Amino acid sequence: VMFNLATIYGEVGDAAQQRQLLEQCLRIDEQELGPEHPGVAMTLTSLGNAYGSLGNAEKQRELLEQALKINEREYGPGHSEVAMTLVGLGCAHGALGDAAKSCDLLQRALAIMEGENGPEHSTVAVVLNNLSNAYGDLGDAAMQRDLLERALKIDEREYGSNHRQVAITLTNLGNAYGDLGDVEKQRDVLHRALAIKEE
């Protein structure tokens, strides 16, 4: 129950309350299940991502590395639980300024998600968005644009053309076009994102 409540706090944007509840969950899980249980890894992953939302990427990285070890041992290196942990870990490395490591982790997550869910699944679009940020940080705006165009197609099919996730992807895509010097395309894409956000 406490884990579910923490998840709700995360969904409504109260990462501080989410973190507090997840820290309690972690203590209970480690006592009742043992420190190497997959349930502990799930709590570590959520807690790490809460720390990331609070701007503490170093703590996020630390917790997600613990979770990754448990998940890889429990499920093997190609499981979706491993992929979701890799996504958070890739974001943490990106926030810490290590775009190359972020890119490596996110590419690994992408391969797992495509293998498990197919190349057009909504979870693939999430990874593509995060991977595009890593490529943008590496200065590869063309790859960033290509990944975002692929994510946009998935998002539009999954959510419809006027969903807020589409607007987020469009905003990132507009910025990538700007980095490539295509100001007209940037303007058009950002206008479309703005129209969705204003609905």
Side-chain angles (χ1 to χ4, degrees):
V1 173
M2 192 180 306
F3 184 89
N4 292 341
L5 185 57
T7 301
I8 291 168
Y9 275 110
E11 289 173 0
V12 299
D14 191 346
Q17 186 65 39
Q18 179 188 26
R19 185 207 70 223
Q20 183 180 345
L21 289 170
L22 287 170
E23 285 175 345
Q24 292 174 20
C25 286
L26 182 61
R27 284 191 294 275
I28 294 167
D29 288 348
E30 287 178 332
Q31 251 181 350
E32 292 184 4
L33 304 171
E36 300 298 314
H37 192 275
V40 170
M42 185 179 358
T43 303
L44 285 167
T45 298
S46 294
L47 181 57
N49 290 329
Y51 271 104
S53 295
L54 290 168
N56 190 341
E58 185 58 43
K59 185 70 172 177
Q60 178 185 19
R61 182 196 57 75
E62 175 189 322
L63 293 170
L64 290 174
E65 284 177 351
Q66 286 180 260
L68 183 61
K69 288 177 187 173
I70 297 168
N71 284 334
E72 286 178 326
R73 189 185 60 254
E74 183 69 26
Y75 303 112
H79 192 274
S80 61
E81 287 293 327
V82 171
M84 293 311 295
T85 305
L86 288 168
V87 170
L89 192 54
C91 292
H93 279 281
L96 291 168
D98 190 348
K101 179 72 171 177
S102 176
C103 194
D104 290 345
L105 293 166
L106 291 165
Q107 285 175 331
R108 186 172 160 213
L110 180 62
I112 295 168
M113 287 301 193
E114 288 176 330
E116 286 225 347
N117 301 317
E120 303 299 318
H121 194 271
S122 61
T123 57
V124 171
V126 171
V127 181
L128 289 169
N129 264 292
N130 287 299
L131 184 56
S132 76
N133 291 334
Y135 274 105
D137 291 342
L138 289 170
D140 190 343
M143 179 60 88
Q144 182 181 25
R145 177 204 58 214
D146 294 348
L147 293 169
L148 287 166
E149 286 178 346
R150 184 174 162 209
L152 180 62
K153 288 177 187 172
I154 297 169
D155 287 343
E156 288 175 329
R157 192 191 67 255
E158 185 72 24
Y159 305 114
S161 60
N162 293 322
H163 191 273
R164 70 178 187 88
Q165 181 56 49
V166 171
I168 291 168
T169 303
L170 283 167
T171 300
N172 293 335
L173 182 57
N175 293 334
Y177 278 118
D179 291 343
L180 290 167
D182 191 341
V183 179
E184 287 183 25
K185 189 73 170 174
Q186 178 185 26
R187 182 195 63 227
D188 294 345
V189 170
L190 291 176
H191 273 298
R192 184 170 166 218
L194 183 61
I196 294 169
K197 289 181 180 184
E198 289 178 339
E199 285 184 356

